[in-house]
Amino acid sequence: PLGDVLAEAARDRPQTPQAVLRTVLTALLDHSVGPPKDDVALLILRSERCSPPTRQTRGVSRSATADR
Protein backbone atom coordinates (compact mmCIF):
# COMPACT_ATOMS: atom_id res chain seq x y z
CA PRO A 1 0.00 0.00 0.00
CA LEU A 2 1.14 3.50 -0.86
CA GLY A 3 0.73 4.75 2.71
CA ASP A 4 3.13 2.11 4.01
CA VAL A 5 5.68 2.91 1.31
CA LEU A 6 5.52 6.64 2.06
CA ALA A 7 5.86 5.99 5.80
CA GLU A 8 8.94 3.86 5.11
CA ALA A 9 10.43 6.55 2.86
CA ALA A 10 9.83 9.23 5.50
CA ARG A 11 11.14 7.16 8.42
CA ASP A 12 14.82 8.01 7.87
CA ARG A 13 14.89 11.78 7.96
CA PRO A 14 16.08 13.99 6.42
CA GLN A 15 15.28 12.55 3.04
CA THR A 16 15.77 14.31 -0.24
CA PRO A 17 12.84 14.38 -2.66
CA GLN A 18 14.93 12.21 -4.99
CA ALA A 19 15.35 9.54 -2.30
CA VAL A 20 11.60 9.46 -1.58
CA LEU A 21 10.89 9.22 -5.31
CA ARG A 22 13.38 6.35 -5.65
CA THR A 23 11.75 4.45 -2.74
CA VAL A 24 8.22 4.88 -4.09
CA LEU A 25 9.18 4.04 -7.67
CA THR A 26 11.06 0.91 -6.57
CA ALA A 27 8.04 -0.26 -4.56
CA LEU A 28 5.76 0.41 -7.53
CA LEU A 29 7.96 -1.63 -9.87
CA ASP A 30 8.12 -4.48 -7.34
CA HIS A 31 4.34 -4.38 -6.86
CA SER A 32 3.49 -4.31 -10.56
CA VAL A 33 6.13 -6.96 -11.42
CA GLY A 34 7.70 -4.84 -14.13
CA PRO A 35 7.05 -1.52 -15.76
CA PRO A 36 3.57 -0.05 -15.31
CA LYS A 37 1.19 -0.38 -18.25
CA ASP A 38 0.03 3.22 -17.87
CA ASP A 39 1.59 6.59 -17.12
CA VAL A 40 2.87 7.31 -13.63
CA ALA A 41 3.23 10.77 -12.12
CA LEU A 42 4.69 11.45 -8.69
CA LEU A 43 5.04 14.83 -7.05
CA ILE A 44 7.35 15.05 -4.06
CA LEU A 45 7.27 18.26 -2.01
CA ARG A 46 9.53 19.31 0.81
CA SER A 47 8.31 21.70 3.48
CA GLU A 48 10.85 24.22 4.68
CA ARG A 49 8.66 25.29 7.63
CA CYS A 50 10.83 23.43 10.14
CA SER A 51 13.91 25.31 9.04
CA PRO A 52 14.99 28.36 11.01
CA PRO A 53 13.34 31.49 9.64
CA THR A 54 15.46 33.68 7.43
CA ARG A 55 15.34 37.43 7.58
CA GLN A 56 13.51 38.78 4.59
CA THR A 57 13.59 42.41 3.57
CA ARG A 58 10.62 44.17 2.08
CA GLY A 59 10.66 46.46 -0.89
CA VAL A 60 13.45 47.12 -3.28
CA SER A 61 16.97 47.19 -1.95
CA ARG A 62 19.06 50.17 -2.94
CA SER A 63 22.62 51.17 -2.66
CA ALA A 64 23.37 53.78 0.00
CA THR A 65 24.69 56.07 -2.73
CA ALA A 66 21.56 55.85 -4.91
CA ASP A 67 19.85 58.84 -3.22
CA ARG A 68 22.77 61.26 -3.51
Side-chain angles (χ1 to χ4, degrees):
L2 181 58
D4 294 343
V5 172
L6 290 173
E8 176 187 336
R11 189 175 319 140
D12 300 323
R13 292 185 183 209
Q15 285 283 3
T16 64
Q18 294 84 0
V20 173
L21 177 64
R22 199 170 23 256
T23 299
V24 173
L25 186 58
T26 299
L28 173 67
L29 294 175
D30 289 345
H31 176 75
S32 64
V33 189
K37 305 214 183 327
D38 204 349
D39 294 340
V40 174
L42 295 170
L43 177 64
I44 309 295
L45 302 174
R46 177 176 42 200
S47 173
E48 300 291 338
R49 290 183 183 182
C50 294
S51 299
T54 58
R55 183 173 178 221
Q56 296 179 348
T57 58
R58 293 185 180 183
V60 178
S61 68
R62 293 189 202 179
S63 167
T65 59
D67 293 328
R68 291 183 186 188

